[in-house]
Amino acid sequence: MTVRKIRRRVFNFKKFFCFLLFLGVFVFIGYYFSKQPIKNIVVLGNNYISDEEIIETARLEEYPSFVTTLSSSIKKRISKIPIIKDVQIKKSFGYVLTIEIEEYKVFFNIRSSNEYMLDDGSKLSELPYLISVPILINYVPDDKLEKLTMKFSNVDYDTILKISEIEYTPTDYDSERFLFYMRDGNEVYVTLNKIKEFGNYSKIKSQLGTKKGILYLDSGNYFEIKE
């Protein structure tokens, strides 16, 4: 008759202690890093919204935990600001949080309603900062207003900001004719189908030198010097 020998496992206190030690170190490190605050917030791309307003809207003014503060939550909060088109959040070494903002361009202010026309065709009733944009001084039919906004999207924004006032000046032959009063004292007549030519205004102006007058881009491209 064969007798079986039963081996009993001996509890290895040394291995168990090493495991607890490793687990404790792991938990401590995790806890330590989870409590580390954001140490630097970098805001890029904002012109109309201040850094402070963006940080407050994102609820970052107290510099919360770098690890537990979710990028998706920050983006969601900032995106609620009407002038904001897009937000990108980046976390980097040194507990640095970078917020990259893309804002809508403000094309002009509509004097009659005191609204601001944005580059996507939407309107804002107010802006965080008072900015110097062209002012639309008279009534424009909705379809022409929509087309003006669409055409401005193809013009360099700095060129648009050279306009002081916009006046709708249709004729019997051209229902899409506008007059731009420029900040430099010149005036520009343009029809919507030739807005692209207005994009070359800075180049045209450099050829005119110090002369002031009226530039006709609606019919025939010529410059009439003011007496």
Side-chain angles (χ1 to χ4, degrees):
M1 182 176 180
T2 304
V3 179
R4 289 184 178 181
K5 292 183 179 180
I6 301 176
R7 291 186 177 181
R8 293 182 179 180
R9 290 186 177 181
V10 179
F11 188 76
N12 194 322
F13 285 99
K14 185 177 180 180
K15 287 185 177 180
F16 181 68
F17 177 77
C18 290
F19 170 75
L20 288 179
L21 182 62
F22 173 80
L23 182 62
V25 171
F26 181 78
V27 170
F28 174 79
I29 293 174
Y31 178 80
Y32 173 81
F33 282 107
S34 69
K35 291 296 182 179
Q36 291 300 300
I38 298 168
K39 294 186 178 179
N40 193 13
I41 301 175
V42 180
V43 183
L44 304 173
N46 54 313
N47 295 301
Y48 307 128
I49 306 291
S50 67
D51 292 0
E52 291 76 14
E53 183 172 353
I54 291 171
I55 291 171
E56 288 177 6
T57 301
R59 300 178 189 172
L60 299 173
E61 63 269 29
E62 298 297 329
Y63 286 72
S65 167
F66 181 81
V67 174
T68 60
T69 302
L70 301 178
S71 297
S72 57
S73 297
I74 298 172
K75 182 173 182 177
K76 185 177 181 181
R77 294 185 188 114
I78 296 176
S79 296
K80 292 180 180 179
I81 300 175
I83 197 70
I84 301 296
K85 179 184 288 189
D86 190 32
V87 184
Q88 297 297 326
I89 309 297
K90 180 182 177 182
K91 292 182 176 182
S92 54
F93 180 76
Y95 305 102
V96 177
L97 180 72
T98 302
I99 303 173
E100 190 164 355
I101 300 292
E102 181 183 0
E103 299 169 325
Y104 290 102
K105 292 183 176 68
V106 182
F107 280 160
F108 50 85
N109 171 259
I110 303 172
R111 175 180 287 174
S112 60
S113 61
N114 198 29
E115 293 177 303
Y116 294 88
M117 181 66 74
L118 305 183
D119 60 2
D120 68 338
S122 63
K123 300 174 184 177
L124 281 182
S125 58
E126 60 181 21
L127 289 176
Y129 287 160
L130 292 175
I131 58 172
S132 183
V133 295
I135 300 174
L136 180 62
I137 63 176
N138 63 340
Y139 170 77
V140 181
D142 289 341
D143 60 328
K144 302 298 186 292
L145 189 64
E146 181 180 346
K147 189 171 182 179
L148 174 64
T149 304
M150 180 184 68
K151 292 293 185 178
F152 266 177
S153 297
N154 298 318
V155 177
D156 181 73
Y157 189 53
D158 287 339
T159 302
I160 294 174
L161 295 181
K162 295 180 187 297
I163 305 171
S164 174
E165 294 181 340
I166 301 171
E167 182 179 0
Y168 180 50
T169 57
T171 66
D172 293 337
Y173 308 100
D174 188 352
S175 64
E176 298 184 340
R177 183 170 176 260
F178 287 82
L179 172 59
F180 297 159
Y181 297 92
M182 307 304 292
R183 299 185 189 278
D184 59 14
N186 289 324
E187 299 173 13
V188 181
Y189 280 102
V190 64
T191 189
L192 291 181
N193 288 332
K194 299 180 74 175
I195 285 284
K196 186 175 181 180
E197 294 185 26
F198 173 71
N200 296 319
Y201 179 76
S202 295
K203 182 178 180 180
I204 296 171
K205 185 177 180 300
S206 66
Q207 297 172 350
L208 299 175
T210 59
K211 298 175 183 177
K212 303 296 180 184
I214 303 172
L215 177 62
Y216 292 89
L217 296 178
D218 57 331
S219 57
N221 296 353
Y222 66 97
F223 183 71
E224 179 182 310
I225 299 175
K226 290 181 179 180
E227 297 295 337

